[in-house]
Amino acid sequence: GLEAVSGFASPAPGGGFGQHGVVGGAQDRRPQHMASSVGGLRPGGRRRDVAQWAVPELVQLARESGALGASASAVSKLIAVVSLGFWAADRKVLDANACSVLSRLIFFIFQPALLCVNVATTLSTPGQSLSTLGIIPLFALSQIAVGSLVGSLLLAVLRVPRESIPGRELRMSCAFGNSGPLPLLFADSLFAGRADPTMASRAVAFISFYLLGWSPMFWTYGRNILSPLEKSSSVEVGRDMSIKDKFWALLNDPNSQRILSPPVLGCVLGAVIGSSPQLRSLFIGTAPALKPVTDALRTLGSAYVPAVILTLAGTLHQSVRSPSAVAAASNDKEEKTVSLGSRVAALMVARFLITPVTAYGMLRVCSHAGLIPADPLLRFVLLMQACMPSAQNSVVILQLENKKEAAGSMAKTLSVLYILACLPIALLLSG
C-alpha cells in the first residue's frame, strides 16, 4: 500500500513490510480506537461485526495515508480540465474538427515525444537498465492479458456480442487502464515535496517504463479491438516486385502502419537512446550537444496530458449535445444495447476489483520468485497501474478512425467511471 513508500524513512534493520504494509516496522498510524479493534474485537474483548466497520476503517486509513487526498486531487484536476473543455466546446472553440486535430497531434507528436524522452531518461538514470527494469513492461503485458480475459467473461455474462459497439467498448475498457495521464497526476500529488526528492522522478520513470510495454499493445491490439482492419485493406506483395518495392509496399500496408505507429516508434527510439552510451551523451547528460532537441521533445510531451483530457471533454460535449447521434451508432436492430449504468457497473467490478486482485497475486508470485526488485516504490507503481480506470486514449483512437458516435458513447462511459473512481482508487492504494 501507499504507507510502504510515500515519504517514509528507508527500511529499518530487520524491517521489511510491517503488519499494515509499512516499511521497516513503522508504527501503525491508525487511531487508537481502530488499532485496538484488529480482528473484530472491541477493547473489552467483545466481538463486533467486522463488515459493519470495515469500510469506515478503510476510509480512515485512506485519508490518513494521503491516498484519499491524492485521489481526490488527481481526479479533481481531471474533472476541472474536462469542465473547461466543456465550456470551450460550448463556445464552439473545441468543436468536432478541433477534437480531430487534437487526436492527430496526440498520436503523431505529443505522446511519441513524451515516451521517447521519458524512456530515454529512465534508462540513463544510474542503476537503471533494460535488465533491471525489463519486468515492468512484461507486467504491463500480463495486465492487458488479464483485462482482456475479464472483458470476455463480462461479455459472456451480459450476453453482449463481441463485435458489437458495446462489446468492443467493454473489451477495450477492461483490457487497458489509464496508464499514462492519471498515474502521472497521482505521482505528482503523492510524491511531490516529500523528504526524498528523488521519489517523484523515480515514480515517473517507472510509469514511463510501464508505458514501454503498454503503448505498443494499445496502439496495435487495442486499436484493432475498436476498429479492426478489413481483410481487403492489406497490401499484396508480388513475387516479381523488387526488394525496394516490397519494402515500401510493406511500409504502406495498414497492418505495418499500426505496428510501427508513432507512439511505438517513440518508445523504441527512447530505448535505443537510453541504452547507447554514445547517444546518451548526445541527448541526455550534464552538457549534451543536442540538449535543445531533448528540451523541445520534453516541451511537446508536456502537452500530452491536457490534450488527451480536452479531447475527452470535446467528445463528451458532442455526445451530450447530440444524443441522437450516439444512439445512431447502435441502430442495428439485431445489436443488443447495454445501458450506461450497466457498462459502468461492469467496469467498476473489472477495473477496481478483479484487476487489482489479480495484479496483487501476480506481484506476490513475482516477488517471491525474485523477478521484481525489492523496491517498495516500484511495487507500489505496479499496483497503482492495476487500480486505474479505463484508458482515455480509447476516445483518441475512435476520433482518429472518424467513429464519432462510438467516441461519444465511450466518452460518456469514461466520464461517469472517472467521477466514481475517486474513492475506490484511494481505498485500493492505501490498503
Side-chain angles (χ1 to χ4, degrees):
L2 176 62
E3 295 199 6
V5 295
S6 55
F8 307 109
S10 57
F17 286 99
Q19 181 180 1
H20 303 290
V22 184
V23 172
Q27 294 181 351
D28 190 345
R29 302 175 62 208
R30 298 180 300 171
Q32 184 62 34
H33 74 278
M34 293 168 58
S36 62
S37 57
V38 174
L41 290 173
R42 290 184 183 276
R46 186 173 52 184
R47 291 194 64 83
R48 66 180 183 179
D49 185 2
V50 176
Q52 178 183 355
W53 292 94
V55 173
E57 289 188 4
L58 281 174
V59 173
Q60 180 74 3
L61 180 59
R63 186 175 62 194
E64 292 184 352
S65 67
L68 185 58
S71 175
S73 173
V75 175
S76 63
K77 288 178 184 178
L78 187 147
I79 293 176
V81 177
V82 168
S83 301
L84 290 174
F86 210 87
W87 174 83
D90 267 336
R91 300 299 184 275
K92 309 298 182 183
V93 175
L94 193 59
D95 56 8
N97 184 59
C99 289
S100 179
V101 172
L102 271 178
S103 299
R104 292 179 63 82
L105 287 172
I106 292 167
F107 180 68
F108 287 102
I109 298 178
F110 296 153
Q111 190 175 30
L114 176 75
L115 293 171
C116 179
V117 172
N118 284 358
V119 170
T121 303
T122 301
L123 290 176
S124 301
T125 305
Q128 308 291 4
S129 64
L130 284 173
S131 59
T132 58
L133 298 176
I135 189 63
I136 302 179
L138 293 179
F139 199 86
L141 295 178
S142 67
Q143 285 296 100
I144 294 171
V146 170
S148 299
L149 178 60
V150 171
S152 298
L153 293 176
L154 285 179
L155 293 186
V157 171
L158 297 174
R159 296 182 179 179
V160 179
R162 289 176 59 87
E163 302 307 319
S164 65
I165 290 178
R168 294 183 186 280
E169 181 178 314
L170 285 173
R171 287 165 56 202
M172 184 70 175
S173 299
C174 289
F176 294 93
N178 188 326
S179 298
L182 203 56
L184 291 173
L185 291 175
F186 267 91
D188 181 66
S189 299
L190 285 170
F191 304 123
R194 294 287 182 179
D196 183 356
T198 66
M199 187 168 286
S201 61
R202 288 175 59 227
V204 171
F206 293 146
I207 293 169
S208 302
F209 222 71
Y210 188 94
L211 291 174
L212 183 61
W214 184 92
S215 291
M217 288 297 293
F218 181 84
W219 292 107
T220 52
Y221 171 62
R223 193 172 184 178
N224 192 61
I225 292 177
L226 292 177
S227 181
L229 288 171
E230 300 291 339
K231 293 183 179 180
S232 59
S233 62
S234 300
V235 176
E236 295 185 1
V237 179
R239 294 182 178 180
D240 56 344
M241 296 174 63
S242 65
I243 296 178
K244 180 180 178 181
D245 291 338
K246 288 182 180 180
F247 175 76
W248 287 112
L250 288 174
L251 285 183
N252 291 325
D253 183 76
N255 292 294
S256 300
Q257 290 178 351
R258 287 196 172 185
I259 295 173
L260 301 176
S261 64
V264 175
L265 294 178
C267 288
V268 173
L269 182 59
V272 171
I273 293 175
S275 303
S276 171
Q278 294 80 10
L279 292 176
R280 276 204 307 265
S281 63
L282 288 176
F283 290 93
I284 300 169
T286 54
L290 298 179
K291 185 175 184 297
V293 176
T294 306
D295 291 341
L297 291 175
R298 185 174 284 111
T299 300
L300 291 171
S302 64
Y304 165 67
V305 173
V308 170
I309 301 175
L310 286 175
T311 301
L312 175 65
T315 306
L316 177 64
H317 180 274
Q318 296 167 35
S319 67
V320 171
R321 292 292 185 260
S322 304
S324 59
V326 177
S330 302
N331 58 2
D332 188 351
K333 294 181 180 180
E334 300 297 326
E335 183 173 293
K336 179 178 179 179
T337 59
V338 182
S339 66
L340 177 62
S342 298
R343 296 198 303 269
V344 172
L347 291 177
M348 290 284 286
V349 173
R351 297 301 317 171
F352 303 130
L353 179 60
I354 301 177
T355 304
V357 170
T358 55
Y360 178 76
M362 288 191 296
L363 190 60
R364 295 274 295 184
V365 171
C366 292
S367 298
H368 283 300
L371 299 176
I372 295 180
D375 185 340
L377 180 59
L378 171 59
R379 297 179 181 184
F380 175 77
V381 168
L382 293 178
L383 286 176
M384 178 176 68
Q385 292 284 9
C387 300
M388 292 294 104
S390 305
Q392 294 166 269
N393 273 349
S394 300
V395 177
V396 175
I397 288 180
L398 292 169
Q399 287 284 355
L400 287 171
E401 298 292 337
N402 201 31
K403 297 179 180 292
K404 307 296 183 184
E405 296 84 2
S409 175
M410 179 71 80
K412 277 186 176 181
T413 303
L414 293 180
S415 298
V416 177
L417 182 65
Y418 276 64
I419 292 172
L420 298 177
C422 183
L423 185 58
I425 294 175
L427 295 178
L428 289 167
L429 294 185
S430 60

